[in-house]
């Protein structure tokens, strides 16, 4: 990715270490603290922000198209991409892709401008859904990014940070999320949950995936975990992932309100008495 305005003196000030929002639990990923005021519409900082996000979102999409990982879930990799975009290198792993997504997500969030945050986050979340379906999984990095997107969507839907309860900039006099955007988010939630489930069910893992407990001591092997051994196996691993899958966009679902399985389509029925 190009130099982030977070560190290059650009349109968004670098937040002080103490200003970074701390997640309520160790498994929830924190988002950086946003600007105190939204970017001024039509201003130079808004233009710089739009240009930066557009450029880096396009670069992420191009790197994905040129990925060198095996295709996941039967999806074919774009074979002609290497001859089209010779200025970017393809992703070698989901871990690399998640790093770029995480960095761009932070920039979008810090902008503190709901009218730009929501559409850009929807586009970024749509890419993540394609990434999950199109690359061998790196569960730790994948769930980390999804948790941050969940935090961002749920907060924007509520108009307050769902962890800290702090009112978000741009929501002083309005909620700022349209009905159309809510429908798009709902669709993304459904697609992403399916993609995550199918990806993990396939058993294809990123070559750079390292289970969190791999460096921990193993009592059975005298403190040594042999190469290729998985700290989780069989049903134990399945249950761990099942719990994570159940939490994909869980807070967003709460803010959206109605059940995803039975959306309201405007039909009113009377109970039989």
């Amino acid at each position: 990715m190009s130099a982030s305005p977070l560190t290059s003196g650009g349109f968004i000030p670098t937040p002080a270490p103490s200003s970074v929002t701390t997640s309520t639990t160790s498994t929830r990923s924190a988002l950086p603290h946003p600007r105190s005021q939204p970017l001024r519409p039509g201003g130079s900082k808004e233009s710089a922000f739009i240009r930066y996000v557009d450029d880096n979102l396009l670069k992420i999409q191009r790197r994905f198209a040129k990925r060198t990982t095996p295709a996941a879930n039967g999806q074919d990799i774009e074979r002609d991409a290497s001859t089209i975009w010779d200025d970017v290198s393809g992703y070698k792993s989901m871990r690399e892709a998640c790093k770029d997504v995480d960095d761009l997500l932070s920039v979008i969030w810090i902008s503190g401008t709901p009218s730009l945050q929501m559409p850009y986050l929807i586009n970024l979340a749509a890419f993540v859904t394609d990434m999950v379906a199109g690359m061998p999984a790196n569960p730790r990095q994948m769930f980390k990014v999804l948790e941050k997107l969940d935090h961002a969507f749920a907060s924007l839907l509520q108009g307050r940070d769902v962890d800290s309860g702090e009112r978000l900039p741009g929501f002083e006099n309005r909620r700022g999320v349209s009905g159309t955007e809510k429908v798009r988010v709902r669709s993304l939630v459904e697609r992403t949950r399916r993609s995550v489930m199918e990806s993990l069910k396939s058993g294809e893992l990123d070559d750079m995936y390292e289970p969190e407990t791999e460096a921990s001591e193993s009592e059975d092997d005298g403190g040594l975990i042999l190469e290729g051994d998985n700290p989780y196996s069989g049903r134990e691993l399945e249950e761990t992932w099942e719990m994570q899958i159940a939490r994909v966009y869980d807070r967003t679902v709460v803010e959206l309100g109605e059940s995803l399985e039975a959306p309201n389509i405007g039909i009113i029925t009377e109970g039989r008495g």
Side-chain angles (χ1 to χ4, degrees):
M1 293 179 68
S2 58
S4 169
L6 297 174
T7 57
S8 60
F11 56 86
I12 299 175
T14 303
S18 60
S19 70
V20 176
T21 303
T22 303
S23 59
T24 55
T25 69
S26 60
T27 57
R28 292 296 191 183
S29 297
L31 288 171
H33 201 281
R35 290 167 48 96
S36 59
Q37 296 292 330
L39 297 169
R40 182 170 60 85
S44 59
K45 291 183 178 180
E46 184 192 64
S47 298
F49 169 79
I50 292 172
R51 185 166 56 252
Y52 177 85
V53 176
D54 283 346
D55 288 349
N56 281 281
L57 187 56
L58 180 60
K59 185 174 182 180
I60 288 173
Q61 292 168 336
R62 287 178 171 178
R63 292 196 67 189
F64 175 71
K66 290 182 65 175
R67 63 197 183 280
T68 58
T69 62
N73 298 330
Q75 291 197 1
D76 292 330
I77 296 175
E78 176 54 66
R79 300 298 177 185
D80 297 329
S82 59
T83 62
I84 301 173
W85 304 306
D86 56 3
D87 59 330
V88 296
S89 58
Y91 287 124
K92 296 179 181 178
S93 67
M94 181 180 286
R95 183 176 182 176
E96 284 186 342
C98 285
K99 175 63 167 59
D100 282 352
V101 170
D102 197 334
D103 290 345
L104 189 55
L105 171 56
S106 293
V107 173
I108 294 170
W109 185 253
I110 289 176
S111 73
T113 310
S115 61
L116 296 173
Q117 287 172 311
M118 201 62 174
Y120 275 131
L121 286 173
I122 288 173
N123 286 339
L124 195 59
F127 167 78
V128 170
T129 303
D130 292 338
M131 176 193 73
V132 169
M135 300 181 77
N138 186 311
R140 189 196 311 176
Q141 300 302 322
M142 176 179 68
F143 286 125
K144 178 184 174 183
V145 166
L146 288 171
E147 285 167 1
K148 285 193 174 185
L149 283 167
D150 183 34
H151 184 174
F153 280 132
S155 297
L156 287 171
L157 287 164
Q158 187 180 118
R160 293 181 180 274
D161 188 294
V162 291
D163 280 349
S164 68
E166 181 181 353
R167 182 172 291 279
L168 298 177
F171 286 87
E172 290 77 11
N173 301 313
R174 59 186 179 86
R175 287 191 60 82
V177 178
S178 70
T180 300
E181 288 170 334
K182 290 180 181 179
V183 170
R184 293 186 65 190
V185 172
R186 180 188 295 274
S187 175
L188 273 171
V189 169
E190 294 174 328
R191 286 176 50 212
T192 305
R193 284 180 158 180
R194 284 196 300 269
S195 293
V196 170
M197 186 177 301
E198 291 168 2
S199 175
L200 295 179
K201 186 178 179 181
S202 74
E204 279 193 276
L205 294 182
D206 186 342
D207 289 340
M208 297 179 70
Y209 172 57
E210 299 176 352
E212 291 185 22
T213 57
E214 72 171 6
S216 64
E217 293 185 353
S218 169
E219 296 179 359
D220 295 337
D221 294 318
L224 173 67
I225 293 181
L226 303 176
E227 184 177 358
D229 284 357
N230 194 329
Y232 295 114
S233 61
R235 184 60 186 170
E236 208 173 12
L237 178 61
E238 192 174 315
E239 288 176 350
T240 300
W241 285 346
E242 282 178 355
M243 289 187 291
Q244 291 284 354
I245 293 170
R247 292 179 59 186
V248 171
Y249 287 128
D250 59 345
R251 293 190 283 186
T252 300
V253 170
V254 171
E255 294 303 324
L256 285 170
E258 297 167 6
S259 168
L260 292 175
E261 289 76 17
N264 184 355
I265 58 175
I267 298 176
I268 301 175
T269 59
E270 295 182 358
R272 296 179 180 178

